[in-house]
């Protein structure tokens, strides 16, 4: 038998290669050397890891966003045929290189917006981990992607689940979706308990190992709030079509309900390598040796309502989405400041929601923001939020 399937290597740029998503993407690529070639790696603070990755994967170009580390990285790679640049502007430029097929956007926070937009502008396919990009400027990002014929392949596990449920159903309208949430380490706790929790407790997620910012967001349910807004833009949904359900085992990764009442779910053990591999391997399902689900280890899959009274961030995110315009951009910027302050022990866990709520009340609303409006809103919100801390 002849195998008629052509294997064409996809050339990948990994933005944020030193982070949790970035390193797991390299794990997937290491296991599938015939399917992918690494063209670009970028990192920020962890220069040594970036250098190690560059030596292993031999990309065309490496960018270290932190310019103070540029000379160090350049010297370390001087005997290799790898171009080295420093600064965020360089990331925005190199994503447009001709030989890149797909850009995996895994920088954390607002910092990932500009490079993702630049890649879309150059017509690169996007595997999107950086959910903040869609929270901040989902209208601009999705309109540009449509105009350029670019697909945004979700890496976020819930959105990957929805996408996997929709394959073969793109012509069928969605009635609603359910995003599942683990509930994080503080599920079932009350405000009295939360008022005294420390970052060490919040950084212990029951099911996932992730970067610090998203781990805190998961504990405060802001992550789910950001994901609700991300889903609105990725799947073109109205706010009332998006629901959140707490599912502590993180086995059902999300669900779609169609107009005939039928529901599809995507399931599996919690492992980000699976949605990463699906996003960069689409439309193929590539073989993997990830551990398989065992029903006997999970005799009970449970579901419960999210507690939005205690975990106010989720309610604030729904409010911001309903308000629209620059409100989600305000929500995101205030949250980035609040999380950074919490990680430095400057504010308590519950105060993070206070900072977000007050910022939403203070920063002036713009109903139809331009890109420049979003940039200005982000800056102004950071000033407002810092003043609140
Ligand atoms: P992380 O903190 O582990 O890694 C972030 C990466 O971005 C690092 O490579 C870092 O060097 C780089 N970076 C940070 N600040 C930068 C800046 N100012 N300029 C340029 N580069 C910068 O974060 P992560 O957990 O890998 O998350 C990355 C993104 O993926 C986030 O948007 C997160 O919400 C999303 N995501 C992560 C997971 C997960 O399991 N980790 C799951 C779903 C979605
Ligand atoms: Mg997620």
């Amino acid at each position: 038998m002849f195998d008629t399937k052509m294997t064409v290597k996809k050339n990948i740029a990994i933005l944020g290669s030193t982070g949790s998503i970035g390193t797991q993407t390299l794990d997937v690529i290491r296991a599938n050397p015939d399917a992918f070639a690494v063209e670009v790696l970028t990192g920020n603070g962890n220069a040594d890891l970036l250098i190690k990755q560059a030596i292993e994967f031999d990309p065309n170009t490496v960018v270290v966003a932190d310019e103070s580390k540029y000379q160090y990285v350049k010297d370390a790679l001087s005997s290799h045929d790898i171009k080295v640049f420093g600064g965020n502007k360089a990331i925005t430029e190199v994503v447009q290189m001709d030989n890149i097929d797909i850009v995996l956007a895994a920088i954390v926070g607002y910092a990932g917006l500009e490079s993702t937009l630049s890649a879309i502008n150059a017509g690169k396919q996007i595997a999107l981990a950086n959910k903040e990009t869609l929270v901040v400027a989902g209208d601009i990002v999705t309109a540009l992607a449509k105009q350029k014929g670019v697909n945004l392949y979700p890496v976020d596990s819930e959105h990957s689940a929805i996408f996997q449920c929709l394959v073969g159903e793109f012509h069928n309208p969605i009635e609603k979706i359910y995003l599942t949430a683990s509930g994080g380490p503080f599920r079932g706790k009350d405000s009295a308990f939360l008022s005294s929790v420390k970052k060490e407790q919040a950084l212990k997620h029951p099911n996932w190992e992730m970067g610090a910012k998203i781990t805190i967001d998961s504990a405060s349910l802001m992550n789910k709030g950001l994901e609700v807004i991300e889903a609105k833009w990725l799947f073109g949904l109205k706010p009332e079509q998006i629901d959140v359900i707490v599912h502590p085992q993180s086995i059902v990764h999300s669900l779609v309900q169609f107009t005939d009442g039928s529901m599809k779910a995507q399931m599996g053990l919690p492992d980000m390598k699976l949605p990463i591999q699906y996003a960069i391997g689409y439309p193929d399902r590539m073989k993997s040796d990830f551990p398989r689900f065992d029903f006997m280890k999970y005799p009970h899959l449970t579901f419960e309502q999210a507690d939005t009274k205690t975990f106010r961030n989720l309610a604030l995110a729904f409010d911001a989405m309903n308000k629209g315009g620059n409100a989600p951009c305000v929500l995101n910027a205030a949250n980035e400041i609040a999380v950074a302050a919490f990680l430095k022990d400057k504010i308590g866990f519950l105060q993070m929601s206070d900072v977000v709520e007050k910022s939403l009340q203070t920063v002036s609303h713009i109903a139809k923001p331009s890109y420049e409006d979003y940039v200005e809103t982000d800056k102004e919100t950071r000033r407002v939020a810092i003043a609140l801390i």
Side-chain angles (χ1 to χ4, degrees):
M1 282 280 283
F2 291 103
D3 184 2
T4 49
K5 204 169 111 192
M6 294 256 293
T7 23
V8 182
K9 265 196 190 185
K10 291 185 189 174
N11 293 328
I12 304 200
I14 304 174
L15 312 185
S17 65
T18 56
S20 161
I21 292 292
T23 52
Q24 293 182 85
T25 303
L26 289 172
D27 291 342
V28 170
I29 293 173
R30 192 181 288 111
N32 296 279
D34 297 333
F36 306 108
V38 177
E39 278 296 314
V40 173
L41 293 172
T42 85
N44 190 32
N46 194 342
D48 288 318
L49 180 57
L50 187 62
I51 292 162
K52 194 166 161 252
Q53 293 177 337
I55 292 169
E56 180 184 351
F57 289 93
D58 193 29
N60 176 295
T61 302
V62 161
V63 186
V64 56
D66 178 349
E67 289 184 73
S68 71
K69 308 250 163 78
Y70 165 70
Q71 199 57 48
Y72 179 70
V73 176
K74 190 164 171 55
D75 290 347
L77 296 176
S78 61
S79 63
H80 298 260
D81 185 20
I82 299 172
K83 294 184 203 77
V84 180
F85 300 103
N88 267 304
K89 193 162 171 285
I91 301 182
T92 305
E93 286 165 8
V94 301
V95 294
Q96 301 208 338
M97 285 182 346
D98 280 347
N99 44 349
I100 296 171
D101 299 314
I102 179 159
V103 172
L104 183 118
I107 291 174
V108 57
Y110 177 90
L113 173 64
E114 207 187 341
S115 47
T116 305
L117 278 172
S118 169
I120 298 173
N121 238 320
K124 307 300 181 192
Q125 300 304 310
I126 306 288
L128 188 71
N130 177 249
K131 63 191 85 185
E132 294 91 345
T133 289
L134 288 176
V135 173
V136 170
D139 52 348
I140 289 180
V141 174
T142 51
L144 186 66
K146 199 169 172 206
Q147 185 199 329
K148 299 284 176 181
V150 163
N151 293 321
L152 303 171
Y153 297 108
V155 168
D156 216 346
S157 58
E158 297 77 0
H159 306 72
S160 174
I162 302 287
F163 180 56
Q164 293 181 53
C165 293
L166 290 177
V167 170
E169 304 264 15
F170 291 122
H171 61 293
N172 283 324
I174 298 170
E175 190 163 85
K176 69 183 291 187
I177 65 167
Y178 289 93
L179 296 177
T180 52
S182 71
F186 305 138
R187 182 176 63 90
K189 303 293 188 202
D190 59 14
S191 300
F193 177 91
L194 292 178
S195 64
S196 65
V197 300
K198 290 276 166 252
K199 66 174 182 222
E200 291 75 17
Q201 294 159 278
L203 283 169
K204 280 200 194 100
H205 195 279
N207 304 343
W208 301 97
E209 283 234 16
M210 311 176 283
K213 192 242 174 197
I214 182 174
T215 307
I216 301 301
D217 284 347
S218 298
S220 72
L221 289 203
M222 181 55 94
N223 182 51
K224 211 48 56 181
L226 300 178
E227 290 185 354
V228 165
I229 302 171
E230 179 186 16
K232 168 188 144 84
W233 292 113
L234 274 177
F235 306 113
L237 300 170
K238 297 196 186 78
E240 57 274 22
Q241 288 176 291
I242 309 171
D243 217 334
V244 169
I245 191 83
V246 173
H247 167 48
Q249 299 82 20
S250 297
I251 296 296
V252 176
H253 296 305
S254 280
L255 310 93
V256 180
Q257 181 176 308
F258 293 95
T259 48
D260 59 357
S262 178
M263 296 170 90
K264 280 169 92 174
Q266 186 264 336
M267 296 171 61
L269 291 174
D271 182 345
M272 283 308 296
K273 288 198 284 295
L274 211 153
I276 291 169
Q277 177 168 307
Y278 192 73
I280 61 177
Y282 183 85
D284 295 332
R285 282 196 185 273
M286 300 186 309
K287 207 167 160 11
S288 89
D289 59 2
F290 309 150
R292 274 21 179 190
F293 176 74
D294 175 355
F295 279 95
M296 295 311 117
K297 286 191 185 143
Y298 293 89
H300 303 287
L301 295 181
T302 60
F303 301 90
E304 59 195 65
Q305 215 40 257
D307 175 3
T308 51
K309 291 229 158 52
T310 310
F311 296 89
R312 284 157 51 219
N313 280 349
L314 183 54
L316 289 168
F318 267 102
D319 289 349
M321 174 172 64
N322 287 321
K323 202 167 171 200
N326 65 342
C329 175
V330 174
L331 175 95
N332 178 70
N335 182 58
E336 286 192 28
I337 296 295
V339 170
F342 176 71
L343 285 171
K344 287 186 187 135
D345 296 317
K346 284 190 183 158
I347 58 172
F349 189 81
L350 292 174
Q351 277 169 284
M352 289 194 286
S353 304
D354 297 337
V355 170
V356 172
E357 186 168 26
K358 289 200 184 107
S359 299
L360 279 165
Q361 289 161 358
T362 309
V363 177
S364 32
H365 185 67
I366 305 173
K368 275 239 156 257
S370 63
Y371 178 70
E372 289 69 31
D373 290 330
Y374 284 126
V375 173
E376 198 37 58
T377 297
D378 179 77
K379 281 197 193 126
E380 190 195 338
T381 307
R382 283 166 198 269
R383 281 194 293 271
V384 167
I386 286 168
L388 288 165
I389 291 162

